[in-house]
Amino acid sequence: MVQSLDTGTAPRSWNKRGQDKARRLAAVAPWLSGKVLPSSRIVEALEVLVHSGDRVALEGNNQKQADFLSRSLAEVDARKIHDLHLLISSISRREHLTLFEKGIARKVDFAFAGPQSLRVAQLLEDRKLEIGAIYTYVELYARMFVDLTPNIALVCAEKADAQGNLYTGPNTEDTPTIVEATAFRQGIVIAQVNELTDELPRVDIPGSWIDLVVVADRPFAIEPLFTRDPRIINELQILMGMMVIRGIYERHGVTSLNHGIGFDTAAIELLLPTYGASLGLKGKICRNWTLNPHPTLIPAIESGWVESVHCFGSEVGMEDYIRARPDVFFTGHDGSLRSNRVLCQLAGQYGVDLFIGSTLQMDPDGNSSTVTMGRLAGFGGAPNMGHDPKGRRHSTPAWLSLITADSEVVRGRKLVVQLAETYQKGGEPVIVESLDAVQVGKNANMPVAPVMIYGDDVSHVVTEEGIAYLFKADGIEERRAAIAAVAGATPVGLKANPRKTEDLRQRGIVAYPEDMGVRRGDAKRSLLAARSIEELSAWSGGLYQPPARFRTW
Amino acid sequence: MVQSLDTGTAPRSWNKRGQDKARRLAAVAPWLSGKVLPSSRIVEALEVLVHSGDRVALEGNNQKQADFLSRSLAEVDARKIHDLHLLISSISRREHLTLFEKGIARKVDFAFAGPQSLRVAQLLEDRKLEIGAIYTYVELYARMFVDLTPNIALVCAEKADAQGNLYTGPNTEDTPTIVEATAFRQGIVIAQVNELTDELPRVDIPGSWIDLVVVADRPFAIEPLFTRDPRIINELQILMGMMVIRGIYERHGVTSLNHGIGFDTAAIELLLPTYGASLGLKGKICRNWTLNPHPTLIPAIESGWVESVHCFGSEVGMEDYIRARPDVFFTGHDGSLRSNRVLCQLAGQYGVDLFIGSTLQMDPDGNSSTVTMGRLAGFGGAPNMGHDPKGRRHSTPAWLSLITADSEVVRGRKLVVQLAETYQKGGEPVIVESLDAVQVGKNANMPVAPVMIYGDDVSHVVTEEGIAYLFKADGIEERRAAIAAVAGATPVGLKANPRKTEDLRQRGIVAYPEDMGVRRGDAKRSLLAARSIEELSAWSGGLYQPPARFRTW
């Protein structure tokens, strides 16, 4: 009998997870009305539902925050609940780290920690926090289906009905993915909502995936992370934007793309209806976008440049504008945006031809990182989109245009563009001999340095000096020479060999503005389609309603 | 006024897609009862709902097939509806190509065409069919959110209720993704279901995403694509399996992985409870899996090797077994499997340490393809999982173990293993001087040759001769020498230089069975934990119920 191979063990239970879940839920059943838990009971419910050592996925998203649940979790008795393993996209709020200060949580796997990056570094040094790993978003979700499946998911939505069906509104973001990983492996899903209602505008997540609903004490927190005030865009950024449009978008015929959130990419968005139109490029470039609804994209949309935008999340103030532009944005039958971080990251990885983003530091090989001394900021979505996806098999003209080998087996390449003004505002060089990330990684005992974008994945580097077409460089030495040739007055740039640089220009591996027909003197703020948030709102016909902090009129 | 930049056009409508959808749906409204269309009306409804030139996403999945809808689409009047652009994961059924023979469809973007690959090649030659591109699955879905958003989605599910909520059952597969891309950009979603019911076991897709439901004339078609009969596993495959377990899984500490669907990987699954256990590896390797519920994995599950399995789809006959093993599989509160191709492909790309698959042809550089003369089979999911994902930032011991560079900026690497018996059954060499795919690509005017896995993505090649540890090879010449050293009596293998081979063995770049303590004489069928489908069923306690074609008892 074959089963005899499996010897010496008592009959195995194959539903331990389900039985454990049932026991936990039974303990809070007396407090529930259907799936609804009274808000006042949330802390004591968490003390029963969460067990020490659990993996807890906390929606700390990129934008929206399950802050009622995170604040409540920070209030549980750490003698009862401790050593949690937190899975969180973005460490964004004070109480996320209070969990570690109190000992409620011990270990964290995360993708981004912008606002809290200093405290993360401090807690790590104080041995109050242990890092599992730092991820790009989708990697963390991927492991939720492999070896980091959550025991508990704490998520948020705008509305729920009595059956637990959720309406996320425009910020669907990561919620369906986290819920799917948890609900279908006998984890417990708790959703905070702004309100209970009889009829939802639409269903974003089916009620049968949700165990408990609790009404938050106040609407979930959300930050306008993708609003860039055009008033702050400077002329160097405009010059770089002009070079990108001429030297990259036009030259490679880039029709589908993702933009980062820097002021330099905002400049590009605002140059399309003016400088781009003057080059006759409307309809030829920048048609299909994967990005959040950047307000600075409004003039290009209104001018008819944009066929479609699929979004990771939404952006505060853009709700009515999106609702009025359903041909461009992905919206539900209720009219509001449907975003989805996993699907937009998938589209941004495999479905578009170009990623362009900014960096805080770049080394002579083109490696870059936003992790700098004393800051553990993480990577966000950049690594997933900022590399050449080797699983890609379909061709587009832009992808094919990067082929340099002459062989019977070749493949094209994604355009991965890194923007870097050679100096930061404070006078610190951006292009440096060695990334701070290398030392930070050593200090934190990381197995490899926390690099955001690797140099060998970068196809183009753009500074205010010019463009280095790294994909054409033959070998690492030539790649270094090309980067040095656009590194300006940084120590790296000062080492550039003028004769080598001239050779690279002749061979089209380096181009300065004059080589691509861009006149430095044209790089004026008057070239921006909108020069203020007020003008963006005017372009939208008043549909874009910027948050108060951006209003000056 | 900034708006004046947008000159000379009539007031633009921003809801053309929504208005078009409303017009189409209004034309069938008289036939509907709620969202339900009478089955007898389906052909005339499609003639109204679908317009010539539309992009139509047809669920032609890897496994389940919306075959009532595809058969009905093939019956529309080609004078009314023609030149459709088909987006289809898998060209699996006769009528998929009948659409092209009749001129109803003209262009296709697809990922796999196994059973119909000969006819695809013929229709292409006859200029009845135009290929947009051949994809790996997720790439095709990615473009549905960018520039290939469907106008119409024809999908299938097991059950629907009157509100259009769908229960997919264990084969959720691609349905939520295709529906999301279509529904949220004002496309029309039509779902065929096996039955209408008042109460669904669970909701897999919310009703508000679905426009029309139609009951199929018979349950949707589904193929047991992942069932491998252990009786067909030969001793060479067992030898290769032993080498993989010792020389790769044990050596690199591989805990999370994906297996292809060949008999060689089935052999590995069946060797874990016997050979693997004898090496003391239980609990140390192969704990977390991303793959379909392979029946050949049952003995390893029953022996306690497997902590979790997340699935792309399901497998016919495995339903009751999965239902009885919820600690291992992802299941809903109704007890049945929840699969999801996009999320499992994400997990298989970013969340696991190893991909291992078989190939029909490999060239001296390690490039491989299943596209051979006269067959356009496509790639399926292999390219997405069979490459080193450069966006990965988290470390695991297996991933770190492939680092060979000594630099301050390094990264680990995914294990991408290609299995190839040196000769196919018919006596054709598998390792060849040039891939057929190169000539096929030229004949079909493809911009690049249809390569499934590129050599520079492969970390290990395993043949019955031994293992080539390509990740350790220094440069392309050494990589070629390592492949030749395990290429046996093929023309490529006969050119191997014995002195170079000996050098590679000394340096651990090539290993033969004796180098890793594997005795060829032990590679017997008696080492398999199950030697027949009947024994697999016995291991499962009768819960696995193989389809009739696999039953011999």
Side-chain angles (χ1 to χ4, degrees):
Chain A
M1 189 49 221
V2 284
Q3 253 89 343
S4 64
L5 288 167
D6 187 23
T7 53
T9 50
R12 174 170 172 179
S13 161
W14 294 94
N15 191 22
K16 286 183 198 149
R17 298 175 75 98
Q19 287 155 355
D20 178 50
K21 173 175 177 169
R23 272 193 302 271
R24 298 190 194 196
L25 285 176
V28 300
W31 304 336
L32 300 184
S33 158
K35 290 189 173 180
V36 180
L37 178 81
S39 311
S40 60
R41 294 274 198 184
I42 185 64
V43 175
E44 55 188 323
L46 289 173
E47 288 181 345
V48 170
L49 292 167
V50 182
H51 288 187
S52 292
D54 274 356
R55 274 195 294 264
V56 178
L58 173 58
E59 197 163 19
N61 267 354
N62 187 301
Q63 294 174 292
K64 72 174 173 175
Q65 303 288 330
D67 61 314
F68 176 59
L69 293 174
S70 55
R71 285 182 278 117
S72 301
L73 186 63
E75 285 176 37
V76 303
D77 185 339
R79 288 165 304 183
K80 292 185 196 160
I81 315 289
H82 46 84
D83 294 309
L84 298 179
H85 179 176
L86 215 60
L87 312 175
I88 185 166
S89 296
S90 176
I91 301 175
S92 317
R93 297 178 54 79
R94 271 205 75 76
E95 71 267 15
H96 293 162
L97 293 177
T98 305
L99 293 168
F100 294 88
E101 285 165 355
K102 289 189 175 178
I104 297 167
R106 160 72 49 189
K107 187 172 177 180
V108 63
D109 285 78
F110 71 103
F112 188 66
Q116 298 294 335
S117 54
L118 287 167
R119 261 175 94 210
V120 169
Q122 190 57 51
L123 283 165
L124 188 72
E125 201 178 310
D126 298 346
R127 299 175 184 277
K128 292 244 173 197
L129 176 151
E130 183 189 327
I131 292 178
I134 308 180
Y135 299 76
T136 188
Y137 296 124
V138 290
E139 247 184 304
L140 179 56
Y141 312 141
R143 284 189 74 180
M144 290 187 191
F145 294 93
V146 182
D147 57 348
L148 292 184
T149 303
N151 304 97
I152 307 279
L154 305 176
V155 302
C156 71
E158 282 199 13
K159 302 179 187 193
D161 65 18
Q163 289 75 48
N165 291 298
L166 298 186
Y167 171 66
T168 60
N171 283 89
T172 306
E173 300 195 54
D174 318 336
T175 320
T177 309
I178 296 170
V179 170
E180 180 154 351
T182 310
F184 290 101
R185 199 139 180 260
Q186 278 71 48
I188 294 173
V189 179
I190 307 172
Q192 74 167 67
V193 297
N194 297 348
E195 63 173 301
L196 286 171
T197 178
D198 287 337
E199 184 122 11
L200 295 173
R202 73 175 187 234
V203 176
D204 287 292
I205 299 174
S208 63
W209 306 12
I210 308 295
D211 297 299
L212 287 180
V213 169
V214 57
V215 177
D217 53 355
R218 52 177 193 252
F220 62 73
I222 188 155
E223 286 293 320
L225 296 177
F226 303 95
T227 300
R228 293 287 168 263
D229 188 336
R231 279 186 309 177
I232 303 173
I233 296 172
N234 64 39
E235 294 183 346
L236 282 188
Q237 290 160 341
I238 293 167
L239 175 65
M240 287 163 67
M242 294 166 72
M243 287 195 277
V244 168
I245 290 172
R246 280 234 85 163
I248 300 178
Y249 292 0
E250 178 181 14
R251 173 168 168 182
H252 294 287
V254 173
T255 59
S256 57
L257 70 165
N258 166 265
H259 268 192
I261 60 168
F263 285 95
D264 28 28
T265 45
I268 298 170
E269 293 154 20
L270 291 168
L271 288 169
L272 290 176
T274 55
Y275 181 68
S278 75
L279 297 171
L281 295 175
K282 182 170 151 181
K284 295 183 185 157
I285 62 168
C286 302
R287 296 196 300 251
N288 302 102
W289 300 70
T290 57
L291 81 174
N292 283 296
H294 294 182
T296 41
L297 199 59
I298 291 171
I301 293 171
E302 295 300 305
S303 307
W305 281 69
V306 177
E307 281 179 10
S308 68
V309 180
H310 189 260
C311 300
F312 311 102
S314 188
E315 182 63 359
V316 180
M318 287 287 280
E319 297 83 358
D320 290 348
Y321 179 71
I322 292 166
R323 190 180 285 276
R325 299 290 180 267
D327 279 348
V328 172
F329 293 97
F330 283 71
T331 56
H333 68 98
D334 64 313
S336 75
L337 185 72
R338 165 84 177 187
S339 61
N340 186 319
R341 182 152 291 114
V342 160
L343 293 175
C344 193
Q345 285 284 344
L346 180 71
Q349 179 188 23
Y350 270 131
V352 305
D353 285 329
L354 174 137
F355 163 85
I356 184 168
S358 317
T359 185
L360 295 181
Q361 278 194 338
M362 179 181 293
D363 75 10
D365 292 349
N367 302 302
S368 60
S369 190
T370 50
V371 172
T372 51
M373 281 312 170
R375 281 188 187 272
L376 272 173
F379 309 126
N384 180 58
M385 292 179 293
H387 75 275
D388 180 31
K390 300 286 187 182
R392 177 168 168 168
R393 294 294 178 272
H394 75 277
S395 296
T396 57
W399 185 80
L400 291 168
S401 74
L402 266 64
I403 293 178
T404 54
D406 181 20
S407 158
E408 63 180 24
V409 172
V410 293
R411 48 181 164 184
R413 190 168 159 176
K414 184 175 187 175
L415 288 90
V416 175
V417 183
Q418 285 281 277
L419 293 167
E421 287 178 70
T422 55
Y423 277 87
Q424 293 179 38
K425 282 220 180 71
E428 286 289 305
V430 170
I431 303 176
V432 295
E433 290 291 351
S434 175
L435 296 178
D436 285 2
V438 171
Q439 193 56 47
V440 170
K442 281 183 190 152
N443 295 351
N445 287 317
M446 293 183 188
V448 297
V451 171
M452 184 173 68
I453 307 279
Y454 284 83
D456 56 4
D457 280 327
V458 177
S459 62
H460 301 72
V461 169
V462 183
T463 71
E464 74 275 16
E465 298 291 325
I467 300 179
Y469 294 88
L470 299 187
F471 71 96
K472 296 176 77 174
D474 188 10
I476 181 76
E477 287 306 323
E478 196 159 282
R479 175 144 59 99
R480 284 183 188 141
I483 291 172
V486 297
T490 62
V492 172
L494 293 174
K495 286 188 200 155
N497 174 336
R499 271 183 47 199
K500 179 68 186 168
T501 296
E502 192 47 40
D503 170 57
L504 294 173
R505 280 180 74 182
Q506 292 294 334
R507 290 162 54 212
I509 299 173
V510 166
Y512 293 150
E514 51 272 32
D515 300 331
M516 51 188 116
V518 171
R519 282 183 304 215
R520 291 174 196 266
D522 290 349
K524 297 290 180 202
R525 281 185 42 83
S526 55
L527 206 53
L528 297 175
R531 287 166 297 277
S532 66
I533 294 276
E534 188 179 5
E535 286 188 7
L536 290 175
S537 181
W539 268 100
S540 78
L543 290 164
Y544 168 48
Q545 291 159 347
R549 76 172 87 160
F550 291 105
R551 286 180 179 271
T552 52
W553 65 97
Chain B
M1 188 50 222
V2 285
Q3 252 88 345
S4 64
L5 288 166
D6 187 22
T7 54
T9 49
R12 175 169 172 181
S13 161
W14 294 95
N15 190 22
K16 286 183 198 150
R17 298 174 76 97
Q19 287 154 356
D20 178 50
K21 172 175 178 169
R23 272 193 300 270
R24 298 190 195 196
L25 286 176
V28 300
W31 304 335
L32 300 183
S33 159
K35 291 189 172 178
V36 180
L37 179 81
S39 311
S40 59
R41 294 274 197 182
I42 185 64
V43 175
E44 53 189 323
L46 288 173
E47 288 181 345
V48 171
L49 292 167
V50 182
H51 288 186
S52 292
D54 274 356
R55 275 194 294 263
V56 178
L58 174 58
E59 197 164 20
N61 268 355
N62 186 301
Q63 296 174 293
K64 73 174 174 177
Q65 302 289 329
D67 61 314
F68 176 60
L69 293 174
S70 56
R71 284 183 279 117
S72 301
L73 186 62
E75 285 177 37
V76 302
D77 184 339
R79 287 165 304 183
K80 291 184 197 161
I81 315 289
H82 47 82
D83 294 310
L84 299 180
H85 179 177
L86 215 59
L87 312 176
I88 186 167
S89 295
S90 176
I91 301 175
S92 317
R93 298 178 54 80
R94 270 205 77 74
E95 73 265 16
H96 292 161
L97 293 177
T98 306
L99 293 168
F100 294 88
E101 284 165 355
K102 290 190 174 177
I104 297 166
R106 161 71 49 188
K107 187 172 178 181
V108 64
D109 285 78
F110 71 103
F112 188 65
Q116 299 294 335
S117 54
L118 286 166
R119 260 175 94 211
V120 169
Q122 191 57 50
L123 283 165
L124 188 71
E125 200 177 312
D126 298 347
R127 297 174 186 275
K128 293 245 173 196
L129 176 148
E130 183 189 326
I131 292 178
I134 309 180
Y135 299 76
T136 189
Y137 295 125
V138 290
E139 245 185 307
L140 180 55
Y141 312 141
R143 283 190 74 180
M144 290 188 191
F145 294 92
V146 181
D147 57 347
L148 292 184
T149 303
N151 304 98
I152 308 279
L154 304 175
V155 300
C156 71
E158 283 198 13
K159 303 179 185 191
D161 66 17
Q163 289 74 48
N165 292 298
L166 298 186
Y167 171 67
T168 60
N171 283 87
T172 306
E173 299 195 56
D174 318 336
T175 320
T177 309
I178 296 169
V179 170
E180 180 155 353
T182 310
F184 290 100
R185 201 142 180 258
Q186 279 74 51
I188 294 173
V189 179
I190 306 172
Q192 73 167 68
V193 297
N194 297 349
E195 63 173 301
L196 285 172
T197 178
D198 287 338
E199 183 121 11
L200 295 173
R202 71 174 188 236
V203 175
D204 287 293
I205 299 173
S208 62
W209 304 14
I210 308 295
D211 297 300
L212 286 179
V213 169
V214 58
V215 177
D217 54 356
R218 53 179 193 250
F220 61 74
I222 188 156
E223 287 293 322
L225 295 177
F226 303 95
T227 299
R228 293 288 168 264
D229 189 336
R231 280 187 309 177
I232 304 173
I233 296 172
N234 65 38
E235 293 183 347
L236 283 188
Q237 289 159 341
I238 293 168
L239 176 64
M240 287 164 67
M242 293 166 72
M243 286 195 277
V244 168
I245 290 172
R246 280 234 83 164
I248 300 179
Y249 293 180
E250 178 181 14
R251 171 164 172 187
H252 294 287
V254 172
T255 58
S256 58
L257 70 166
N258 167 265
H259 269 193
I261 60 167
F263 285 96
D264 29 28
T265 45
I268 299 170
E269 292 155 20
L270 291 168
L271 288 170
L272 290 176
T274 55
Y275 181 68
S278 75
L279 297 171
L281 295 175
K282 182 169 152 183
K284 295 182 185 157
I285 62 168
C286 301
R287 295 196 301 252
N288 301 103
W289 300 70
T290 57
L291 81 175
N292 283 296
H294 294 182
T296 41
L297 199 57
I298 292 171
I301 293 172
E302 294 301 305
S303 307
W305 281 70
V306 177
E307 282 178 10
S308 69
V309 180
H310 189 261
C311 300
F312 310 103
S314 187
E315 182 63 0
V316 181
M318 287 288 281
E319 297 83 358
D320 291 347
Y321 179 70
I322 292 165
R323 191 179 284 276
R325 299 290 178 266
D327 278 349
V328 172
F329 293 98
F330 284 70
T331 57
H333 68 99
D334 64 313
S336 75
L337 185 73
R338 166 83 178 187
S339 60
N340 187 319
R341 182 152 292 114
V342 161
L343 292 176
C344 193
Q345 286 282 344
L346 180 70
Q349 180 189 22
Y350 270 130
V352 305
D353 285 329
L354 174 138
F355 163 85
I356 183 167
S358 316
T359 185
L360 294 181
Q361 277 193 339
M362 180 181 293
D363 77 9
D365 291 349
N367 301 302
S368 61
S369 189
T370 51
V371 172
T372 51
M373 279 316 171
R375 280 187 189 275
L376 273 173
F379 309 124
N384 180 57
M385 292 179 293
H387 76 275
D388 181 31
K390 299 287 187 182
R392 176 168 169 169
R393 293 294 178 272
H394 75 276
S395 296
T396 57
W399 186 79
L400 291 169
S401 74
L402 266 66
I403 294 178
T404 54
D406 181 20
S407 157
E408 63 180 22
V409 172
V410 294
R411 46 182 165 186
R413 191 168 158 174
K414 184 175 187 175
L415 287 92
V416 175
V417 183
Q418 285 282 278
L419 293 166
E421 287 178 70
T422 56
Y423 275 88
Q424 292 179 39
K425 284 222 179 70
E428 286 289 306
V430 171
I431 302 177
V432 296
E433 290 290 353
S434 175
L435 297 178
D436 285 3
V438 171
Q439 193 56 46
V440 170
K442 280 181 190 153
N443 295 352
N445 287 317
M446 294 184 189
V448 297
V451 171
M452 183 174 68
I453 307 279
Y454 283 83
D456 55 4
D457 280 326
V458 178
S459 61
H460 300 73
V461 169
V462 182
T463 71
E464 73 277 15
E465 299 291 326
I467 300 179
Y469 294 88
L470 300 187
F471 71 96
K472 296 175 78 173
D474 188 11
I476 181 76
E477 287 307 324
E478 197 159 280
R479 174 143 61 97
R480 284 184 188 139
I483 291 172
V486 297
T490 62
V492 172
L494 293 173
K495 286 187 199 156
N497 174 335
R499 270 183 48 199
K500 179 67 187 167
T501 296
E502 193 46 40
D503 169 58
L504 293 172
R505 280 179 76 183
Q506 292 294 334
R507 291 163 55 212
I509 298 173
V510 165
Y512 292 150
E514 51 273 31
D515 300 331
M516 50 189 118
V518 170
R519 283 184 303 214
R520 291 174 197 267
D522 290 349
K524 298 289 179 203
R525 281 186 42 82
S526 55
L527 207 53
L528 296 176
R531 287 166 295 279
S532 67
I533 293 278
E534 187 178 5
E535 286 188 6
L536 290 175
S537 181
W539 268 99
S540 77
L543 290 163
Y544 169 47
Q545 291 160 346
R549 77 173 85 158
F550 290 106
R551 286 180 179 270
T552 52
W553 65 97

